[in-house]
Amino acid sequence: MDLQRVSFYLLSIFLYFAESSSFRFDYKYYPNIDGWLKFHRLPATWHDAWTTCDLEGSILASPINPDMVSAMDAHWKSENTNQWTLYTGVHAMFSKGYFFSLEGVSLEKMPVRWAAGEPENKNNDEDCLAWVIGDVADVNCSKLYPFMCFKRKTKDMVTTSCGTVDKDYELSPLTGNCYKFHRRGRTWHQAQKTCAAEGGYLAVINSHEEALHLKKLFDDNYSKIVNSEDKDKIYVGMHDFYDPGVWRTIHGVKIEEAGYAEWSEHQSNNLTYGRHCGAMMNTLGLNDLWCDKSVAFICEKSLDSLVEDKVAE
C-alpha cells in the first residue's frame, strides 16, 4: 500500500469516526449511560467473561443505576435471544456475602430485586450475580452464561489513525496495518485471543522487511518484557496444528507462500510433542515453541477491523 492510498484510507477512517459516536462496530451506544454495550452470546464462566470484556477494553456490565438497568434491558431485548440468564460484573469473591460491582457499587444501592427463591448460596458457593429477566440471582461463578460488556465514554477517548482507541497500536506505512507489542508474556492461544479481542490477530510476517519492522518493535520493548519464559522469542501468527511440519499462518496460508519462512538454525525441528506454535527470535529467525510457554507477542490489525462495513446505497 503506497503512502497516497494510506493517506486516503486514514482520511476515510477519520471522517467516519468524526460523524458518529463509535467505540467499535460490535458495541452499541446508549446516550442515557453515555457508553456502549455488547452482548456476548457464547456462554462463559464469570472469570472468562471478565477476561473477554477486559481484553476488549471494557468491563462486565452491572445494573448499578436506573439508566444502566434500562440500557441493559433494552440491549438484551434487541438481541432477540432466548438466553434468559447472563452474568453481571457483580460478585462477592472478595468478601463472602457482600456483593459489589466492578466499579465498587454495593448491591444494596442497585435498583434491582432478587428473583424468586434467591439468594440461596447453594453449597455455600454462589459468589457471582446473574441477571435473570431483569431480576438477579446468586450463582456459582464456574457456571456458563452469556454476558454483556460495557465501555463508558471518557473525555480522553480518541480514535487513532489505526481505527481504535487503543493508543498502543502504531501504523506501519510499509504494510498499511497497525501493530502492538504486548510485553506481558502469554501462551500462544491466550495471545491470539488477546489480539482477536482487540480487533486483530497474531502478527503474520509477509516479507523480510515486515520481519525487520517486528524486530524493531521487539528491540524497543525488550527491556520491558515481563512474565516471559524466554525473552528472546515472541509469538507470531503461525502454527502447524493441522499437519505437523507444515507451517501455516493463522489465515491458513503456508508460510512460504505468505512470504517469510526464514528459520533459525536447527529450526523447525519439532522434535518434542507440543511444539506446534510459531515464534520469531530477536535474531529474525523463526522458531517452533511449546504452545503453553508464556512469551511476549505482537498483534497486527487492519485500519478498519473495528469499523462497521458500510453498504453502498
Side-chain angles (χ1 to χ4, degrees):
M1 182 180 289
D2 57 41
L3 289 178
Q4 185 177 5
R5 290 176 62 195
V6 170
S7 298
F8 176 78
Y9 208 5
L10 294 182
L11 178 60
S12 300
I13 295 291
F14 173 79
L15 290 176
Y16 176 89
F17 282 100
E19 295 172 357
S20 62
S21 294
S22 190
F23 165 50
R24 39 188 288 169
F25 79 93
D26 48 355
Y27 277 70
K28 183 177 180 181
Y29 182 72
Y30 288 87
N32 62 323
I33 58 175
D34 199 21
W36 296 264
L37 290 172
K38 175 180 178 180
F39 183 77
H40 281 269
R41 290 176 177 267
L42 185 66
T45 66
W46 189 92
H47 183 267
D48 285 345
W50 178 93
T51 299
T52 297
C53 293
D54 185 62
L55 291 175
E56 291 183 352
S58 56
I59 64 171
L60 262 174
S62 300
I64 59 176
N65 56 47
D67 286 337
M68 277 297 296
V69 170
S70 175
M72 289 175 65
D73 185 59
H75 194 61
W76 169 71
K77 289 177 179 176
S78 73
E79 292 291 319
N80 296 315
T81 176
N82 59 0
Q83 296 168 305
W84 307 104
T85 302
L86 60 145
Y87 275 124
T88 70
V90 183
H91 67 90
M93 287 182 278
F94 297 156
S95 47
K96 183 70 177 180
Y98 293 89
F99 287 89
F100 288 87
S101 73
L102 293 172
E103 301 96 327
V105 179
S106 68
L107 179 61
E108 285 77 10
K109 291 188 176 181
M110 299 181 198
V112 295
R113 64 182 183 182
W114 290 103
E118 300 292 343
E120 61 176 348
N121 192 29
K122 187 176 181 180
N123 297 324
N124 195 33
D125 194 22
E126 295 191 330
D127 295 325
C128 288
L129 199 75
W131 173 276
V132 187
I133 319 178
D135 294 334
V136 294
D138 56 343
V139 296
N140 186 294
C141 301
S142 63
K143 293 279 189 179
L144 301 179
Y145 295 116
F147 54 98
M148 281 188 204
C149 298
F150 170 61
K151 175 67 174 181
R152 185 181 301 280
K153 188 176 182 180
T154 59
K155 293 181 179 179
D156 63 347
M157 276 184 64
V158 176
T159 301
T160 71
S161 57
C162 287
T164 175
V165 298
D166 188 339
K167 299 179 179 63
D168 289 330
Y169 273 94
E170 297 180 358
L171 174 66
S172 168
L174 173 69
T175 64
N177 282 344
C178 298
Y179 301 83
K180 175 181 177 179
F181 192 96
H182 282 266
R183 301 164 182 163
R184 177 169 291 278
R186 294 183 185 274
T187 67
W188 190 92
H189 292 283
Q190 291 171 338
Q192 170 56 18
K193 179 178 180 179
T194 299
C195 296
E198 293 176 351
Y201 46 87
L202 271 172
V204 172
I205 310 175
N206 297 112
S207 67
H208 184 77
E209 290 73 24
E210 187 171 9
L212 286 172
H213 178 68
L214 299 190
K215 175 174 167 47
K216 183 179 185 307
L217 293 176
F218 196 173
D219 292 342
D220 290 346
N221 289 275
Y222 185 84
S223 63
K224 300 176 183 178
I225 292 175
V226 297
N227 193 42
S228 174
E229 296 179 62
D230 192 338
K231 287 185 64 176
D232 293 330
K233 299 181 180 70
I234 56 170
Y235 279 130
V236 292
M238 52 179 275
H239 63 86
D240 71 341
F241 295 148
Y242 309 140
D243 188 4
V246 179
W247 289 84
R248 300 176 184 270
T249 73
I250 57 170
H251 299 143
V253 179
K254 292 180 180 179
I255 60 173
E256 293 81 4
E257 298 171 6
Y260 191 78
E262 299 179 21
W263 291 92
S264 296
E265 189 177 3
H266 305 307
Q267 302 292 332
S268 143
N269 49 31
N270 202 12
L271 296 176
T272 305
Y273 177 79
R275 295 180 67 167
H276 299 301
C277 291
M280 186 183 84
M281 302 186 70
N282 58 1
T283 56
L284 282 181
L286 299 177
N287 186 272
D288 54 353
L289 275 185
W290 290 274
C291 299
D292 59 356
K293 267 187 172 291
S294 289
V295 299
F297 57 99
I298 295 178
C299 295
E300 178 178 358
K301 71 177 292 294
S302 63
L303 301 181
D304 60 352
S305 65
L306 296 177
V307 179
E308 185 173 15
D309 292 333
K310 291 202 170 186
V311 180
E313 297 181 356

